[in-house]
Amino acid sequence: MDFSVLRNLIRRYCAGEENWVDSRTVYIGQREPPPGAEAYIPQRFPDNRIVSSKYTFWNFVPKNLFEQFRRIANFYFLIIFLVQLIIDTPTSPITSGLPLFFVITVTAIKQGYEDWLRHKADNAINQCPVHIIQHGKVVRKQSHKLRVGDIVLVKEDETFPCDLILLSSSREDGTCFVTTASLDGESSHKTYYAVQDTKAFNTEEELDSLHATIECEQPQPDLYKFVGRINIYQDRDGPIARPLGSENLLLRGATLKNTEHIYAVAIYTGMETKMALNYQSKSQKRSAVEKSMNAFLVVYLCILISKAMINTVLKYVWQADPNRDEPWYNEKTELERQRHVLIRAFTDFLAFMVLFNYIIPVSMYVTVEMQKFLGSYFITWDEEMYDEELGEGAQVNTSDLNEELGQVEYVFTDKTGTLTENNMEFIECCVDGHVYVPHAICNGQILPGASGIDMIDSSPGGGGKEREELFFRALCLCHTVQVKEEETVDGIKRGIHQGKATSFYISSSPDEVALVEGMKRLGFTYLRLKDSHMEILNREDEIERFELMEVLNFDSVRRRMSVIVRSSTGEYYLFCKGADSSIFPRVVSGKVEQVRARVEHNAVEGLRTLCVAYKRLTQAEYEDVCHQLSAAKLSLQDRDKRLAEAYDTIEKDFILLGATAVEDRLQDKAADTIESLHKAGMKVWVLTGDKMETAAATCYASKLFRRSTQILELTTKRTEEQSLHDVLFDLSRTVLRQHCTMTRDTFSGLSNDFQDYGLIIDGATLSAVMKPAQDGSGNYKEIFLEICRNCSAVLCCRMAPLQKAQIVKLIKSSKEHPITLAIGDGANDVSMILEAHVGIGIMGKEGRQAARNSDYAIPKFKHLKKMLLVHGHYYYIRIAELVQYFFYKNVCFIFPQFLYQFYCGFSQQPLYDTAYLTLYNISFTSLPILLYSLIEQHINMDILKKDPTLYRDIAKNSLLRWRIFIYWTFLGVFDAAVFFFGAYFLFDNTTFTSNGQMFGNWTFGTLVFTVLVFTVTLKLALDTHYWTWINHFVIWGSLLFYVIFSLLWGGIIWPFLNYQRMYYVFMQMLSSGPAWLGIILLITVSLLPDVVKKVLCRALWPTTTERIQNADKLYKGHLSEFTPLTSLHAPIRKRGDGRNLNPRRSERLSKKLMYTKWGGATDYCTFSSFLRFGESSRHSGVGHAYQGAGPETSV
């Protein structure tokens, strides 16, 4: 439950803000306003101390213990430990207390160390020096002493200590350049503006005389939004009010660049800064494996209670005979005789619970945590996932979801910057139907050989030439590009061309740089913005100056931006550029059809298009525009809404000039990655804000859609012609037409394509689908989901960020509950990354917000292939074995204890010694399985990459299904029965030591325990495929450690232990020849069924994984170099009705027609049947086409 709202209300009330509103007043320089101006109401604000740590010295122990005991397993073992302390139990409290203490201590040390590192980082930040203006002088203070209202001096290359409003700058125009790489990863220089009325205050004395207040909103976590106004008090009249927006706000963590110094006022400090508000932790995600573990624990808890109940009942049945109830050697005390039978029964029940509680493995949680934490380093250490260009490798932000990487069924990906490079190249522009194509210009860098201008159409004459130049001017003026004469990067000066300094363009948008550079190649060069004037060098080498009057910034809702400029002749122009969907409806004249045709042509080619329009403004119209914008900007409430309304009023009645086309190239190996994901059984959806034609072209290029794919459209255009209800049912009938003969494995992604369908849906239609049907015709969501289930790929275009999250949530919460993965690189992808089961951020050019909010971060999209097919596969295999093995070895451990009660009169006598009970899970059997779960590789890494279909063998949590869990449990019960009854019958009344003594109960228990330890360790050795010297050392070392410890504990090596009950017991057992024979025989018998089962299954019904394992051994680990892997896929025989006779053991037998894609070389054994199938399918009119690595066959 989120108590943040209640917490904020309490804090505000305690701070004396009973009349609190959604704004705050800041007094600049801590000075009161002039007398009579307004009431001075001082407010309390936090200091500038940053606290990212979780604990303090005083609350660490209680808070950490509280958090740890919130885990059900820890709390359960605490209860068991307390029961052992309170009542007389058969085992010492140490047996439960020591493992619990070990788990709690290790976890507390780990969390304490991590928090200590956070404290160190906090102190380093809080003690940084800052320069504050006080009484006309510069004073140096520590950062944490900074207060709201203080005027701060920041010098070049320094980091802003808190959120600041820019008052003045060393630059004449009152601007400064800032990089926000530490906030959003954008290394480009952003321009921020000082308040016009304060930019002249350039000295400490002048600032000390400034009387002003700032009214602004309360702290918000949105980095890109700020609403406020500044009231400046002059000697005369009332205050002057000026609007403040995000262009005036300098965020904590950003760095001042290319500006000597600035003066700014602190407005949000400490934990109220926007950066600190973004610290908030993401919601906890739980993997499918963790859910399976919890389900298995519930089963074992039920088994534990059943055991305790059975033993309690049988004890009282046994004691119904008075001679058994109170034998001569165990007479009851008077207090025991007077105790009520129900109380005695309950006490006995608790005692049995304590005796059998080891069936619930507390150490499994520690081992799983260590496996996840240590295993995550294999991703960060992977050199193949290191990007030389970025100088970074993959990052793991949470290790809790490692195994979930091996269970992904749906991949939701962004397009721009994820599938594509976000590296824009200007391709062409179209003016009134005339197309201009300069040579390659890529992100501000002219490629070699790019000289001159190539024109497809001849240049227009007369009035057309004037429109052409107006188009070029529009693109030179309508942008937020910054110009630098030169830039030094790693000691190399950029912007120097043939010994002369040239302009170098930088911008937060790669599109804008490409467009401005394109205009430069076409003869119009943007020079600079100086004193609010934009300068352009035209084709005649004349400098044209335009005064920049207003900028209507781009936003994702309007999908356009505008500028208002005044030419040297005094004319006002409004230039606008934006998406075709946002420009065409606002155009009243121009060659719309010619431009629209060219835009659609470029979109089909996969190019990003923008339309450019303009209109002239009269003096009166301009003044009206200024009034509308000023009124909207000065409002504190609903400023964004009022600005949007003002923009909508201003941006209309345009004259269309033309359109541009830039190319965003596909990322390296993006198509190969998507094809591999398809082969692995995953469905890939592309969610983008781009127009349909551009996104569809990218989908074809990336092999998301194949040329044979039948595209189904669910778009606004189609719903205008038909009702949404009719369109949905038409599509549903189309995809389900062959449902009687071909049913798909819904939501598993495990079946390959029959007739290949691809769905395209846009944002507007999705909104309609998500709404409940008004006419009572049913729920459109279910129909939409049914269509999507039967499509191999889905493209969602024109999507808002929230809609991306809605799509992910819709699929995630459907009845099949598939595992989803979302991958993106921009801030607009954060919502879907947080919503998906696994979120992956790409360290792209749209900032690092996606990478910061993700579970994993990778440099490029191509690295997703290895992340899932190799790392995800290994993680799942390892942890699945770890979980099943832990339950198995604990069943082997505690079931003999249960059987022993039938031979000791249900007296709660332990079978094993206290030391063995305590150390079994901590020392004797813990290291081998931990090491296995870290380094096991059941199949060579190269084979997993080459054959993505192996990913299907582990899909749908196949290794942790109930059938396999029951097999492991029964195997544990069988082995436990062999240990106990084998030892019992082998030595019943016949076994003597060399000196004629019979075995006692502790020797019998030690014999069972010895067989147990050796059996479970050797079982793991048999399951190990990847042997290294570390495996040998740990497995055989664990067995050796057990023997040495037993000798030590028995007083053989350490005589001082000769007082306890295990003295010389181990040595006495080893001195008996039959005991040696029994140990070897029982170990063999215990392991034999599992070995026989594996041999028979591998010989008669091998899975694809097992075939490849066998072949890899034959080729001594070099299988991928010699053998076409498709020839090793398990052949599937068919019955007349199309059902498989021998499906993979890892899947359920299903009545579904399965298809297998045979990539690489053709399997000639099935080639003739493929030809026959092709003939029959042609006659039936059902197409099965695939343009891939090899033929597609029905098997």
PDB file of all heavy atoms in Angstrom, residues 954-966:
ATOM      1  N   ILE A 954      12.535 -25.203 -23.107  1.00  0.00           N
ATOM      2  CA  ILE A 954      12.403 -24.754 -21.710  1.00  0.00           C
ATOM      3  C   ILE A 954      11.240 -23.784 -21.535  1.00  0.00           C
ATOM      4  O   ILE A 954      11.061 -23.212 -20.462  1.00  0.00           O
ATOM      5  CB  ILE A 954      13.711 -24.090 -21.216  1.00  0.00           C
ATOM      6  CG1 ILE A 954      14.046 -22.850 -22.060  1.00  0.00           C
ATOM      7  CG2 ILE A 954      14.859 -25.085 -21.225  1.00  0.00           C
ATOM      8  CD1 ILE A 954      15.164 -21.999 -21.500  1.00  0.00           C
ATOM      9  N   ALA A 955      10.460 -23.584 -22.614  1.00  0.00           N
ATOM     10  CA  ALA A 955       9.379 -22.588 -22.551  1.00  0.00           C
ATOM     11  C   ALA A 955       8.273 -23.034 -21.599  1.00  0.00           C
ATOM     12  O   ALA A 955       8.143 -24.209 -21.251  1.00  0.00           O
ATOM     13  CB  ALA A 955       8.812 -22.351 -23.951  1.00  0.00           C
ATOM     14  N   LYS A 956       7.465 -22.088 -21.189  1.00  0.00           N
ATOM     15  CA  LYS A 956       6.296 -22.321 -20.319  1.00  0.00           C
ATOM     16  C   LYS A 956       6.699 -22.994 -19.011  1.00  0.00           C
ATOM     17  O   LYS A 956       5.986 -23.844 -18.487  1.00  0.00           O
ATOM     18  CB  LYS A 956       5.247 -23.168 -21.044  1.00  0.00           C
ATOM     19  CG  LYS A 956       4.717 -22.568 -22.326  1.00  0.00           C
ATOM     20  CD  LYS A 956       3.964 -21.290 -22.119  1.00  0.00           C
ATOM     21  CE  LYS A 956       2.560 -21.490 -21.680  1.00  0.00           C
ATOM     22  NZ  LYS A 956       1.789 -20.224 -21.599  1.00  0.00           N
ATOM     23  N   ASN A 957       7.865 -22.611 -18.490  1.00  0.00           N
ATOM     24  CA  ASN A 957       8.330 -23.133 -17.189  1.00  0.00           C
ATOM     25  C   ASN A 957       8.338 -24.668 -17.176  1.00  0.00           C
ATOM     26  O   ASN A 957       7.963 -25.309 -16.186  1.00  0.00           O
ATOM     27  CB  ASN A 957       7.421 -22.602 -16.076  1.00  0.00           C
ATOM     28  CG  ASN A 957       8.123 -22.563 -14.727  1.00  0.00           C
ATOM     29  OD1 ASN A 957       9.339 -22.719 -14.637  1.00  0.00           O
ATOM     30  ND2 ASN A 957       7.360 -22.363 -13.663  1.00  0.00           N
ATOM     31  N   SER A 958       8.816 -25.250 -18.284  1.00  0.00           N
ATOM     32  CA  SER A 958       8.664 -26.697 -18.499  1.00  0.00           C
ATOM     33  C   SER A 958       9.450 -27.537 -17.494  1.00  0.00           C
ATOM     34  O   SER A 958       9.065 -28.678 -17.218  1.00  0.00           O
ATOM     35  CB  SER A 958       9.121 -27.053 -19.920  1.00  0.00           C
ATOM     36  OG  SER A 958      10.486 -26.724 -20.109  1.00  0.00           O
ATOM     37  N   LEU A 959      10.540 -27.017 -16.954  1.00  0.00           N
ATOM     38  CA  LEU A 959      11.348 -27.807 -16.028  1.00  0.00           C
ATOM     39  C   LEU A 959      10.866 -27.707 -14.584  1.00  0.00           C
ATOM     40  O   LEU A 959      11.428 -28.367 -13.704  1.00  0.00           O
ATOM     41  CB  LEU A 959      12.823 -27.384 -16.115  1.00  0.00           C
ATOM     42  CG  LEU A 959      13.486 -27.559 -17.487  1.00  0.00           C
ATOM     43  CD1 LEU A 959      14.958 -27.181 -17.423  1.00  0.00           C
ATOM     44  CD2 LEU A 959      13.330 -28.977 -17.995  1.00  0.00           C
ATOM     45  N   LEU A 960       9.864 -26.871 -14.351  1.00  0.00           N
ATOM     46  CA  LEU A 960       9.314 -26.756 -13.000  1.00  0.00           C
ATOM     47  C   LEU A 960       7.808 -27.056 -13.004  1.00  0.00           C
ATOM     48  O   LEU A 960       7.064 -26.536 -12.187  1.00  0.00           O
ATOM     49  CB  LEU A 960       9.582 -25.361 -12.418  1.00  0.00           C
ATOM     50  CG  LEU A 960      11.033 -25.096 -12.017  1.00  0.00           C
ATOM     51  CD1 LEU A 960      11.209 -23.642 -11.594  1.00  0.00           C
ATOM     52  CD2 LEU A 960      11.472 -26.009 -10.893  1.00  0.00           C
ATOM     53  N   ARG A 961       7.395 -27.891 -13.946  1.00  0.00           N
ATOM     54  CA  ARG A 961       5.996 -28.303 -13.963  1.00  0.00           C
ATOM     55  C   ARG A 961       5.747 -29.311 -12.858  1.00  0.00           C
ATOM     56  O   ARG A 961       6.661 -29.948 -12.337  1.00  0.00           O
ATOM     57  CB  ARG A 961       5.655 -28.906 -15.329  1.00  0.00           C
ATOM     58  CG  ARG A 961       5.573 -27.854 -16.438  1.00  0.00           C
ATOM     59  CD  ARG A 961       5.264 -28.484 -17.769  1.00  0.00           C
ATOM     60  NE  ARG A 961       5.183 -27.470 -18.821  1.00  0.00           N
ATOM     61  CZ  ARG A 961       5.220 -27.756 -20.115  1.00  0.00           C
ATOM     62  NH1 ARG A 961       5.337 -29.004 -20.509  1.00  0.00           N
ATOM     63  NH2 ARG A 961       5.155 -26.793 -21.013  1.00  0.00           N
ATOM     64  N   TRP A 962       4.471 -29.487 -12.549  1.00  0.00           N
ATOM     65  CA  TRP A 962       4.100 -30.377 -11.439  1.00  0.00           C
ATOM     66  C   TRP A 962       4.528 -31.807 -11.713  1.00  0.00           C
ATOM     67  O   TRP A 962       4.906 -32.532 -10.788  1.00  0.00           O
ATOM     68  CB  TRP A 962       2.599 -30.294 -11.190  1.00  0.00           C
ATOM     69  CG  TRP A 962       2.186 -29.020 -10.540  1.00  0.00           C
ATOM     70  CD1 TRP A 962       1.575 -27.949 -11.114  1.00  0.00           C
ATOM     71  CD2 TRP A 962       2.408 -28.655  -9.168  1.00  0.00           C
ATOM     72  NE1 TRP A 962       1.395 -26.954 -10.191  1.00  0.00           N
ATOM     73  CE2 TRP A 962       1.889 -27.359  -8.981  1.00  0.00           C
ATOM     74  CE3 TRP A 962       2.990 -29.305  -8.075  1.00  0.00           C
ATOM     75  CZ2 TRP A 962       1.933 -26.699  -7.761  1.00  0.00           C
ATOM     76  CZ3 TRP A 962       3.025 -28.642  -6.851  1.00  0.00           C
ATOM     77  CH2 TRP A 962       2.509 -27.360  -6.711  1.00  0.00           C
ATOM     78  N   ARG A 963       4.472 -32.229 -12.965  1.00  0.00           N
ATOM     79  CA  ARG A 963       4.839 -33.609 -13.281  1.00  0.00           C
ATOM     80  C   ARG A 963       6.303 -33.880 -12.913  1.00  0.00           C
ATOM     81  O   ARG A 963       6.633 -34.903 -12.315  1.00  0.00           O
ATOM     82  CB  ARG A 963       4.616 -33.852 -14.779  1.00  0.00           C
ATOM     83  CG  ARG A 963       5.029 -35.217 -15.274  1.00  0.00           C
ATOM     84  CD  ARG A 963       4.541 -35.413 -16.714  1.00  0.00           C
ATOM     85  NE  ARG A 963       4.985 -34.342 -17.587  1.00  0.00           N
ATOM     86  CZ  ARG A 963       6.192 -34.321 -18.167  1.00  0.00           C
ATOM     87  NH1 ARG A 963       7.051 -35.305 -17.936  1.00  0.00           N
ATOM     88  NH2 ARG A 963       6.524 -33.346 -18.967  1.00  0.00           N
ATOM     89  N   ILE A 964       7.180 -32.924 -13.253  1.00  0.00           N
ATOM     90  CA  ILE A 964       8.601 -33.100 -12.948  1.00  0.00           C
ATOM     91  C   ILE A 964       8.844 -32.954 -11.449  1.00  0.00           C
ATOM     92  O   ILE A 964       9.656 -33.676 -10.860  1.00  0.00           O
ATOM     93  CB  ILE A 964       9.436 -32.081 -13.758  1.00  0.00           C
ATOM     94  CG1 ILE A 964       9.251 -32.360 -15.256  1.00  0.00           C
ATOM     95  CG2 ILE A 964      10.907 -32.140 -13.373  1.00  0.00           C
ATOM     96  CD1 ILE A 964       9.936 -31.372 -16.160  1.00  0.00           C
ATOM     97  N   PHE A 965       8.123 -32.025 -10.821  1.00  0.00           N
ATOM     98  CA  PHE A 965       8.253 -31.850  -9.377  1.00  0.00           C
ATOM     99  C   PHE A 965       7.864 -33.140  -8.631  1.00  0.00           C
ATOM    100  O   PHE A 965       8.548 -33.568  -7.697  1.00  0.00           O
ATOM    101  CB  PHE A 965       7.358 -30.685  -8.938  1.00  0.00           C
ATOM    102  CG  PHE A 965       7.175 -30.568  -7.453  1.00  0.00           C
ATOM    103  CD1 PHE A 965       8.215 -30.149  -6.642  1.00  0.00           C
ATOM    104  CD2 PHE A 965       5.961 -30.886  -6.871  1.00  0.00           C
ATOM    105  CE1 PHE A 965       8.049 -30.044  -5.269  1.00  0.00           C
ATOM    106  CE2 PHE A 965       5.781 -30.783  -5.498  1.00  0.00           C
ATOM    107  CZ  PHE A 965       6.831 -30.357  -4.697  1.00  0.00           C
ATOM    108  N   ILE A 966       6.770 -33.762  -9.077  1.00  0.00           N
ATOM    109  CA  ILE A 966       6.335 -35.011  -8.440  1.00  0.00           C
ATOM    110  C   ILE A 966       7.359 -36.117  -8.663  1.00  0.00           C
ATOM    111  O   ILE A 966       7.628 -36.921  -7.760  1.00  0.00           O
ATOM    112  CB  ILE A 966       4.942 -35.414  -8.980  1.00  0.00           C
ATOM    113  CG1 ILE A 966       3.891 -34.405  -8.493  1.00  0.00           C
ATOM    114  CG2 ILE A 966       4.566 -36.824  -8.545  1.00  0.00           C
ATOM    115  CD1 ILE A 966       2.535 -34.556  -9.166  1.00  0.00           C
TER     116      ILE A 966
END
